[in-house]
């Protein structure tokens, strides 16, 4: 008589079949901490390292992995990818070197629209320290990032991720 396959064997075969599936190509972002091995911090890819090194001090020493973690504070309202959507806040791609309040089809508050400066690291540092105090009456409901090192890491991360050009 032919016995049905034991359950354990069926499970083993199923597992084998699963292992045979092709792996997803590794297209993770440079600092996907979730994908980083548990054995230590992820090292940025060489291109990112070179870009980071070209940033003005102190942003050239930014811990971009920490910056990415801090960006979780912004993510609910902002995208940073090229062509990313405006959400509660405007898309931040290319924000360095961009005039404040100038993303088309985003409705800024009057204080941001008429601020008249161009975003650079210093302005961003002041903005993120105390958004309300820096441009009173703006509509970004965010208390700020109080730790100076976290701000450096976050600004470094943004510079690398939003298409900041060396020297720009
Ligand atoms: C609760 C939603 C919210 C969060 C969280 C938030 N923002 Fe914003 N942000 C806004 C809004 C809304 C505006 C537009 C403000 C205005 O027009 O008054 C804005 C504006 C900005 C601007 C000016 C953009 C421009 O085009 O002039 C920058 C830069 C910015 N945010 C960076 C950040 C960063 C970095 C973080 C995280 C540390 C963050 N924001 C967190 C909602 C948010």
């Amino acid at each position: 008589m032919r016995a049905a396959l034991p359950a354990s064997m069926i499970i083993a075969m199923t597992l084998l079949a699963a292992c045979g599936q092709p792996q997803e190509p590794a297209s993770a972002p440079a600092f996907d901490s979730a994908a980083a091995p548990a054995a230590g911090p992820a090292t940025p890819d060489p291109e990112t390292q070179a870009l980071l090194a070209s940033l003005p001090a102190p942003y050239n020493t930014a811990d971009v992995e920490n910056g990415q973690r801090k960006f979780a504070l912004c993510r609910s309202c902002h995208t940073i990818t090229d062509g990313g959507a405006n959400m509660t806040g405007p898309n931040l791609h290319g924000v360095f070197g961009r005039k404040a309040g100038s993303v088309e089809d985003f409705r800024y508050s009057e204080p941001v629209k008429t601020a008249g400066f161009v975003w650079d690291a210093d302005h961003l540092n002041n903005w993120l320290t105390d958004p309300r105090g820096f441009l009173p009456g703006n509509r970004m409901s965010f208390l700020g990032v109080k730790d100076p090192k976290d701000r450096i890491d976050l600004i470094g991360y943004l510079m690398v991720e939003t298409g900041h050009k060396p020297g720009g």
Side-chain angles (χ1 to χ4, degrees), residues 24-35:
E24 285 285 307
S27 61
F31 310 108
D32 190 345
S33 40

Side-chain angles (χ1 to χ4, degrees), residues 81-102:
T81 49
D82 192 5
N86 296 327
M87 301 199 292
T88 305
N91 172 253
L92 293 179
H93 193 83
V95 66
F96 293 95
R98 184 166 92 195
K99 195 162 171 286
S102 65

Side-chain angles (χ1 to χ4, degrees), residues 34-139:
T43 313
D45 61 60
E47 200 185 321
T48 307
Q49 274 175 355
L51 184 52
L52 191 61
S54 75
L55 299 180
Y59 306 101
N60 54 352
T61 63
D63 174 352
V64 285
E65 220 201 326
N66 182 45
Q68 184 187 38
R69 279 197 297 275
K70 298 304 164 205
F71 186 71
L73 298 166
C74 329
R75 205 178 278 286
S76 56
C77 297
H78 291 286
T79 58
I80 50 171
T81 49
D82 192 5
N86 296 327
M87 301 199 292
T88 305
N91 172 253
L92 293 179
H93 193 83
V95 66
F96 293 95
R98 184 166 92 195
K99 195 162 171 286
S102 65
V103 167
E104 277 186 39
D105 66 28
F106 183 83
R107 289 189 53 210
Y108 292 94
S109 66
E110 213 49 35
V112 173
K113 208 161 52 185
T114 58
F117 60 74
V118 167
W119 286 113
D120 57 14
D122 282 348
H123 281 99
L124 208 64
N125 190 36
N126 291 332
W127 171 248
L128 294 181
T129 303
D130 179 11
R132 277 179 207 178
F134 182 59
L135 284 179
N138 81 76
R139 280 195 292 108

